[in-house]
Amino acid sequence: MNLVRAELERLAARRFVQLMVVLLAAAFAVTVVTTLAGSHRPSPAELSRAQAQAAESVREMEMTYDRCLRIREGSLPPAENDYLPRDCAQIDPAQLDELPTAADYLSGVFVFAKEAEPLLYFLIAFLTLFGFLVGASYIGADLNSGGVVNLLLWRPRRSTVLAAKLGTLLGGLVGLSVLASVAYLGAFWLIGQASGLVGRTGGDFWPSLAAIWGRGLVLVLLAAALGFAVATLGRLTSAALGAVAAYVVVWELGARLVFQILQVGRPDRYMLSSYLAAWLSGEVRLWDGNACGPGISGYCDGSYTVTWPSGLVVLLGLTGALVAAAFTVFRRRDLM
Amino acid sequence: MSAVIEIAGLRKTFHSLRQGRRVAVDGFDMLVEAGQVHGFLGPNGSGKTTTLRALLGLVRPDAGRMRVLGADSPERLPDVAGRVGAIVESPQFFANFTAHRTLRLLAVAGGVPTVRVDEVLEQVGLRDRGHERVKGYSLGMKQRLAVASALLKNPELLILDEPANGLDPAGIREMRDLTRSLAEAGVTVLLSSHILAEIQLICDHVTIVSRGRRVAYGPVEEVLAGFDQHQWRVRVADPEQAGDLLGRAGLSVTAGPDHLVVTGVEDPETISRTLGEQGVWVRELVPLRPDLESVFLELTGDHEHMGVEVPRQVDGAPPSDGVIDLDVRESREVDA
Ligand SMILES: Nc1ncnc2c1ncn2[C@@H]1O[C@H](COP(=O)(O)OP(=O)(O)O)[C@@H](O)[C@H]1O
Ligand SMILES: [Mg+2]
């Protein structure tokens, strides 16, 4: 416990961590200010106009649906460039997830419900980068500045010391992520309240936002643990950065090209980015360029999906393996 | 007397890609008993730091048994770590922290009351500058901080690796006084150095190491006595005649510029009687005691390396006036 307390203070006192927090706060402030500047509370007139436009477009959709049904029944001849789905239910407004609302027809008005998701993704991206860099530099700098050796003279249990560091890092990140997310979404919600619209936040709005947040948090922690493990293995902060750069260039770009040339089926299966996307968005649909070659006639669906469970398994497995390797190596290593 | 440090058959080989295999410690033995101020003397690169690192669990030895305060190292080191204060090779500290914060974090991690921080800063003479960042410290101040960190736990055993490094003469004296007062308070001290004068001034016991092996050990007096060649410096009016007379009497004589050196005579009476009987009167008859330096140079074979002729024995003057630094010897060594 004492160890964790000392580590937490050490972590918070790091220049790099402070810099990143300031950056986060600055990015946050800039977004809030520009959003505030570009948004206003809609006047009753604007609102009613937008409502009318929304109602109009809903009515149009209903008419189209109606027409579709009638054409299918044969009671109406199709016009020349009518687009008709095979099954009219596909355009049944009653079955749509979201009907157009007034919010869609307001310009210069910030609508929280519409913007929350992309804002949250931005925050997750920032925190993931933050987690990775802090994870790597925290242990990297400590290994090089003699901090680890000094600590080991006091606590000659290497696994405990390393685990305390990793645990403190992850715990600190969870705390920071919670704070940042609440402050961030809270601020934008308030902007929506005060000088925009909150929009439709009923139904599964909050649950689905919470799900994205939860996935994002897991990603942030995985990135931090990954950076920590690679920097421990390589004894350097830059080892982690180098490893990521090398992976992207050699594998995501280079190997992808080679797979293409060799016409290997479903190359995306071998790419971490696919699993990352699958984990974050629940599922990715990928398309295999080789599945529908010239020999296949008729309808061919070359797509396949990667689902979030396999995304999680791959990401967890990779991170877990690297962390385990880092602990094993660190326990046996000669420390200078 | 109880053994505080026991090392038997310690062996450590470093493997590196660039330099290949390097045997740093080669079957080294050491015994330090409670209450000693034990000098660990050897030229640069003779394996002192590696031995201490192995003892403190920082490097894995290839062979050998080690015990610290009765506990097997490194397995049971955690049991006694709280009673051992150590610095190994100019420890480095996180440059952005103040000395005070550095020590406080160590105290927190090690469960030592933080009031100790001010006490040890006072002890090493850093009280006034304890709130400055370590970045701005001189080498000597960093060394003091290192010693302070070792004293923080109020250790029973204090291990100091080259504590005089980077200190000015006044600093060396302060460090020596500090070491003495700690020893008087009952702390066992192991002090490594390549500076002979340092060891001879404050240590009561010594282990001399050369190329990773122990070449001499014991109380400083005994180590010196073992190398006493019973030499005498003789001054007479006519050295040439006196040399003749002594030579004819079967004594081994070498002539200096204005005196003679007689070797292998236990009782000086032999000399004065031989000369007196021939009417030659002795003006001065002084025993030439070996000092640690000559013993050291002989044992470590350094006179060959240095390419200078080193006398087996030098005048009885204490060597404290000249600090002999053997750093010049091995250019491949960088003891940073
Ligand atoms: N990490 C290392 N890698 C390779 N060789 C090393 C390492 N540390 C020490 N050595 C070698 O081991 C020998 C003993 O070094 P060291 O224990 O530092 O000597 P001392 O402390 O007596 O000056 C030297 O030859 C040194 O070059
Ligand atoms: Mg050394």
Side-chain angles (χ1 to χ4, degrees), chain A residues 235 334-336, chain B residues 12-16 19-25 40-53 59 89 161-162 192-194 209 211-212 327 330 332-335:
Chain A
R235 302 180 190 226
D334 288 343
L335 292 170
M336 292 300 144
Chain B
K12 174 70 188 177
T13 307
F14 288 107
H15 304 269
S16 73
Q19 290 151 343
R21 241 168 57 98
R22 171 161 289 162
V23 181
V25 180
F40 186 11
L41 185 60
N44 259 290
S46 54
K48 302 183 296 295
T49 300
T50 305
T51 301
L52 298 181
R53 281 207 174 103
V59 307
E89 191 154 278
D161 190 14
E162 314 254 4
S192 100
S193 181
H194 61 274
V209 60
R211 299 193 180 103
D327 266 343
E330 279 179 79
R332 67 188 161 101
E333 268 297 315
V334 183
D335 251 76

Side-chain angles (χ1 to χ4, degrees), chain B residues 125-207:
Chain B
L126 275 183
R127 195 194 52 185
D128 295 337
R129 307 195 56 181
H131 287 280
E132 290 174 25
R133 285 177 196 276
V134 172
K135 208 179 344 201
Y137 277 19
S138 69
L139 183 56
M141 289 169 72
K142 284 183 196 154
Q143 199 68 18
R144 286 163 195 255
L145 173 57
V147 174
S149 77
L151 290 176
L152 208 50
K153 313 183 225 191
N154 236 331
E156 278 168 50
L157 168 63
L158 185 61
I159 296 176
L160 302 174
D161 190 14
E162 314 254 4
N165 251 6
L167 291 180
D168 53 17
I172 293 181
R173 165 160 303 193
E174 281 171 38
M175 208 51 81
R176 191 189 303 146
D177 292 343
L178 177 62
T179 311
R180 275 211 192 97
S181 68
L182 289 168
E184 274 159 24
V187 179
T188 307
V189 181
L190 176 63
L191 189 84
S192 100
S193 181
H194 61 274
I195 301 170
L196 310 139
E198 217 24 62
I199 299 281
Q200 195 161 20
L201 273 176
I202 42 176
C203 296
D204 45 47
H205 286 70
V206 67
T207 296

Side-chain angles (χ1 to χ4, degrees), chain A residues 2-3 5-7 9-15 141-142 144-158 331-336, chain B residues 12 14 53 56-60 77-79 81 84 86 88 91-94 96-97 101 104-112 133 149 152-153:
Chain A
N2 286 334
L3 206 51
R5 235 179 76 206
E7 286 302 322
E9 182 169 347
R10 193 185 285 275
L11 187 60
R14 292 207 70 88
R15 281 293 175 80
D142 237 19
N144 281 301
S145 74
V148 171
V149 168
N150 285 340
L151 202 55
L152 281 173
L153 290 177
W154 283 71
R155 290 291 197 95
R157 286 184 208 274
R158 295 197 182 184
R331 278 184 51 175
R332 308 178 53 90
R333 169 184 291 167
D334 288 343
L335 292 170
M336 292 300 144
Chain B
K12 174 70 188 177
F14 288 107
R53 281 207 174 103
L56 295 165
L58 297 176
V59 307
R60 292 167 66 87
L77 209 50
D79 302 348
V84 182
V88 182
Q92 293 171 12
F93 295 100
F94 194 56
N96 266 327
F97 287 179
R101 180 177 223 168
R104 197 169 49 78
L105 286 179
L106 281 177
V108 168
V112 168
R133 285 177 196 276
S149 77
L152 208 50
K153 313 183 225 191

Side-chain angles (χ1 to χ4, degrees), chain B:
Chain B
M1 281 278 171
S2 62
V4 170
I5 296 175
E6 297 154 89
I7 300 177
L10 181 66
R11 199 178 298 278
K12 174 70 188 177
T13 307
F14 288 107
H15 304 269
S16 73
L17 284 180
R18 257 177 296 151
Q19 290 151 343
R21 241 168 57 98
R22 171 161 289 162
V23 181
V25 180
D26 190 10
F28 178 79
D29 306 302
M30 180 182 241
L31 177 66
V32 176
E33 294 187 320
Q36 292 181 352
V37 179
H38 197 109
F40 186 11
L41 185 60
N44 259 290
S46 54
K48 302 183 296 295
T49 300
T50 305
T51 301
L52 298 181
R53 281 207 174 103
L55 187 67
L56 295 165
L58 297 176
V59 307
R60 292 167 66 87
D62 302 321
R65 280 174 22 86
M66 298 172 291
R67 287 161 77 83
V68 183
L69 293 169
D72 284 320
S73 176
E75 300 81 17
R76 313 243 32 102
L77 209 50
D79 302 348
V80 293
R83 294 151 62 197
V84 182
I87 63 172
V88 182
E89 191 154 278
S90 314
Q92 293 171 12
F93 295 100
F94 194 56
N96 266 327
F97 287 179
T98 65
H100 199 274
R101 180 177 223 168
T102 304
L103 294 179
R104 197 169 49 78
L105 286 179
L106 281 177
V108 168
V112 168
T114 44
V115 290
R116 278 293 290 156
V117 171
D118 288 309
E119 290 172 23
V120 294
L121 282 173
E122 171 87 58
Q123 258 180 310
V124 299
L126 275 183
R127 195 194 52 185
D128 295 337
R129 307 195 56 181
H131 287 280
E132 290 174 25
R133 285 177 196 276
V134 172
K135 208 179 344 201
Y137 277 19
S138 69
L139 183 56
M141 289 169 72
K142 284 183 196 154
Q143 199 68 18
R144 286 163 195 255
L145 173 57
V147 174
S149 77
L151 290 176
L152 208 50
K153 313 183 225 191
N154 236 331
E156 278 168 50
L157 168 63
L158 185 61
I159 296 176
L160 302 174
D161 190 14
E162 314 254 4
N165 251 6
L167 291 180
D168 53 17
I172 293 181
R173 165 160 303 193
E174 281 171 38
M175 208 51 81
R176 191 189 303 146
D177 292 343
L178 177 62
T179 311
R180 275 211 192 97
S181 68
L182 289 168
E184 274 159 24
V187 179
T188 307
V189 181
L190 176 63
L191 189 84
S192 100
S193 181
H194 61 274
I195 301 170
L196 310 139
E198 217 24 62
I199 299 281
Q200 195 161 20
L201 273 176
I202 42 176
C203 296
D204 45 47
H205 286 70
V206 67
T207 296
I208 301 182
V209 60
S210 174
R211 299 193 180 103
R213 287 172 191 271
R214 177 169 73 174
V215 289
Y217 66 101
V220 171
E221 293 310 315
E222 280 179 26
V223 171
L224 296 184
F227 284 80
D228 194 346
Q229 293 184 302
H230 308 289
Q231 289 190 320
W232 305 88
R233 188 177 65 207
V234 184
R235 278 187 212 280
V236 290
D238 183 352
E240 213 169 304
Q241 182 203 1
D244 262 9
L245 291 172
L246 291 169
R248 255 183 270 133
L251 300 179
S252 143
V253 188
T254 44
D258 60 344
H259 64 267
L260 298 169
V261 174
V262 182
T263 305
V265 175
E266 293 216 9
D267 188 349
E269 199 184 304
T270 318
I271 298 169
S272 56
R273 186 160 13 84
T274 308
L275 294 177
E277 277 167 7
Q278 304 295 325
V280 175
W281 304 111
V282 173
R283 289 177 176 173
E284 186 184 313
L285 186 56
V286 180
L288 295 181
R289 299 257 176 265
D291 67 359
L292 208 41
E293 181 182 321
S294 46
V295 171
F296 174 75
L297 291 176
E298 175 153 322
L299 287 171
T300 57
D302 269 337
H303 44 295
E304 293 157 23
H305 292 263
M306 292 171 92
V308 291
E309 204 176 315
V310 176
R312 282 182 85 77
Q313 298 175 338
V314 295
D315 292 67
S320 55
D321 47 1
V323 169
I324 295 183
D325 192 327
L326 292 171
D327 266 343
V328 290
R329 189 179 65 86
E330 279 179 79
S331 49
R332 67 188 161 101
E333 268 297 315
V334 183
D335 251 76

